[in-house]
Amino acid sequence: MKIGIVCYPTFGGSGVVATELGLELSKRGHEIHFITYNQPVRLELLSNNVHYHEVTVPEYPLFHYLPYELALSSKLVDMVKLHKIEVLHVHYAIPHAYAAYMAKKMLQEDGIYVPIVTTLHGTDITLVGSHPFYKTAVTFSINKSDAVTSVSQSLKEDTLRLFDIKNDITVVPNFIDLDKYSNSFKGCQRAMMAKENEKIITHISNLRAVKRVKDVISIFYNIQKKLPAKLMLVGEGPERENIEMQCQKLGISDKVVFFGKSNEIDKILCFSDLFLLPSETESFGLAALEAMASSTAVISSNTGGIPEVNIHGVSGFLSDVGDVEDMSKNAIYILSDENRLETFKRNARKEALKYDLHKIVPQYEAIYQATLSRCLTL
Ligand code: GMT
């Protein structure tokens, strides 16, 4: 199939999922066209069947806001015509589902029918999409998609609760390339990061308020009072300065390593013992899954789709949002016994196997096929 993928090209989870999906689909023989405003961060190599088409929005003095969705919908029309793209898969409802619908309508004028598959990722529903200023357009775009998927059961329920949805929503969970996150990873350089007796705690996110990174620091502060430990913080975002100040105030700056944005998550996770994800909301928690695939136990909040991924008492523990004391207690419980830690780490990897990309990607292929067959009978 020739598949157009629209996504955010940034380090955010939805862009990562879209990129990994496109790359795997290309390995399975499909021709993939990424259409977005920058080359997606995890898309390092373009090849015969992986293409990238940049959307540019020219500045004009009259434009107070640049009309990205207008440029995107035009680009989609042009690329569908030029490359004979058969299906458009848009990740993140805003504004991608809306722009894709406009493109579909324009193409119909020329007798071209391209089905739209929309994948809902989380904040497009729970944080931004349900804002009264966007809600009408988001509801419309979801209802007009030919197929809608959500990355967890919890996100599906949130969508049905927050919007007036007439369409079916199929849950297709996020997935992981287990080979990439194998715990037998050869280049693992633990010794560079911590002493033999120190436990390595990791947090990876875009350091936005919704991730509650301050809780990460508080939990780590409690952990390092009980046992030798280092904290690896990966990602960039608006909370960075606040948390650096928090670390200084608590006198733990020498135990916290800031990595900034990284494309080498696998190399950082390979030496991690425990992953912290105390988020306010999280539709799935891809970062937790990446950690689990690297045999890292997870201490998280119990919000949104996280309980579908991190299993309480098996791969880690879940607590109410903001319950730093409980999260600290659970973290210390796991870390303070070597055998217990190994069991949690092993279990984490075992739970991650459920999300093997070889199991999940065919679900998307089946959805593309079904929407295409439906189109042909229209
Ligand atoms: O905040 C993020 O983690 C980025 C955001 C995005 O849309 O790029 O992530 C959302 O999509 C990920 C991939 O499906 C999910 O794993 C994250 O849980 C979700 N984030 C939130 O719901 C806050």
Side-chain angles (χ1 to χ4, degrees):
M1 265 179 279
K2 295 186 177 197
I3 303 158
I5 293 186
V6 181
C7 63
Y8 283 103
T10 55
F11 280 89
S14 62
V16 167
V17 170
T19 309
E20 301 282 2
L21 174 63
L23 292 175
E24 180 58 21
L25 286 166
S26 74
K27 286 186 201 151
R28 295 167 74 92
H30 302 287
E31 185 178 301
I32 304 301
H33 296 265
F34 288 97
I35 305 160
T36 177
Y37 58 84
N38 263 328
Q39 183 156 329
V41 286
R42 287 211 189 171
L43 182 63
E44 277 150 15
L45 291 176
L46 299 172
S47 63
N48 268 351
N49 54 356
V50 181
H51 306 265
Y52 159 60
H53 311 292
E54 186 165 309
V55 181
T56 43
V57 192
E59 303 237 5
Y60 184 69
L62 204 59
F63 294 160
H64 184 61
Y65 303 104
L66 291 181
Y68 179 65
E69 41 280 57
L70 202 65
L72 175 60
S73 55
S74 285
K75 188 80 181 182
L76 290 176
V77 170
D78 295 346
M79 291 305 105
V80 166
K81 284 184 177 169
L82 185 66
H83 298 285
K84 313 238 172 326
I85 291 171
E86 295 158 280
V87 54
L88 284 174
H89 188 174
V90 302
H91 291 259
Y92 211 88
I94 308 170
H96 300 152
Y98 190 75
Y101 176 73
M102 285 313 299
K104 176 173 149 173
K105 284 311 215 189
M106 287 188 263
L107 286 160
Q108 273 175 4
E109 295 287 308
D110 291 333
I112 302 167
Y113 196 92
V114 178
I116 312 291
V117 177
T118 297
T119 291
L120 309 174
H121 277 274
T123 44
D124 48 349
I125 296 301
T126 52
L127 279 184
V128 203
S130 49
H131 190 285
F133 293 174
Y134 295 123
K135 197 170 176 173
T136 309
V138 173
T139 309
F140 175 83
S141 324
I142 295 174
N143 283 332
K144 290 292 177 187
S145 298
D146 296 279
V148 182
T149 75
S150 77
V151 297
S152 65
Q153 180 61 30
S154 152
L155 181 60
K156 174 176 174 170
E157 285 160 19
D158 282 341
T159 310
L160 296 175
R161 183 172 46 80
L162 294 165
F163 300 85
D164 183 16
I165 300 300
K166 310 270 186 263
N167 231 335
D168 285 340
I169 300 178
T170 308
V171 176
V172 181
N174 287 332
F175 54 85
I176 191 98
D177 181 349
L178 288 157
D179 294 337
K180 192 168 160 198
Y181 292 90
S182 159
N183 41 355
S184 60
F185 176 65
K186 298 276 184 304
C188 201
Q189 297 180 320
R190 192 187 196 283
M192 271 175 63
M193 289 300 145
K195 298 190 194 109
E196 187 74 19
N197 67 335
E198 285 175 323
K199 293 287 179 274
I200 299 186
I201 323 295
T202 307
H203 171 78
I204 303 173
S205 78
N206 44 27
L207 308 189
R208 281 182 296 145
V210 69
K211 302 290 173 183
R212 296 186 71 99
V213 197
K214 279 186 181 167
D215 289 0
V216 170
I217 305 298
S218 304
I219 298 163
F220 175 71
Y221 178 70
N222 291 338
I223 295 173
Q224 59 82 47
K225 280 198 289 187
K226 297 282 180 201
L227 41 92
K230 278 263 169 70
L231 175 64
M232 311 285 144
L233 277 178
V234 186
E236 275 299 341
E239 289 293 294
R240 162 106 192 221
E241 217 178 295
N242 289 342
I243 53 181
E244 279 192 74
M245 272 155 58
Q246 192 188 355
C247 291
Q248 266 170 27
K249 265 194 207 148
L250 293 169
I252 54 170
S253 300
D254 58 328
K255 295 181 180 176
V256 180
V257 183
F258 285 85
F259 278 90
K261 288 179 185 169
S262 173
N263 245 342
E264 303 202 308
I265 300 300
D266 47 336
K267 293 190 182 138
I268 296 165
L269 284 170
C270 75
F271 48 64
S272 301
D273 293 301
L274 193 75
F275 188 80
L276 301 178
L277 193 67
S279 307
E280 186 83 36
T281 69
E282 202 71 66
S283 66
F284 182 89
L286 183 64
L289 177 59
E290 291 180 333
M292 287 163 62
S294 311
S295 304
T296 304
V298 176
I299 292 293
S300 67
S301 56
N302 54 13
T303 184
I306 303 181
E308 295 170 46
V309 181
N310 182 24
I311 307 303
H312 190 72
V314 179
S315 51
F317 287 104
L318 298 100
S319 311
D320 290 340
V321 172
D323 194 345
V324 167
E325 290 315 311
D326 196 51
M327 293 186 201
S328 308
K329 186 186 82 198
N330 291 335
I332 294 162
Y333 172 75
I334 294 181
L335 293 169
S336 56
D337 181 292
E338 215 49 60
N339 288 336
R340 194 183 294 141
L341 175 61
E342 280 315 308
T343 306
F344 273 93
K345 290 174 96 172
R346 236 187 352 262
N347 289 348
R349 170 82 185 175
K350 206 162 141 204
E351 285 301 319
L353 300 184
K354 293 180 187 162
Y355 300 95
D356 182 352
L357 91 171
H358 299 296
K359 288 185 193 153
I360 310 294
V361 174
Q363 296 179 30
Y364 280 119
E365 287 178 304
I367 289 170
Y368 302 151
Q369 282 297 357
T371 51
L372 271 172
S373 319
R374 241 183 292 137
C375 287
L376 294 175
T377 57
L378 283 179

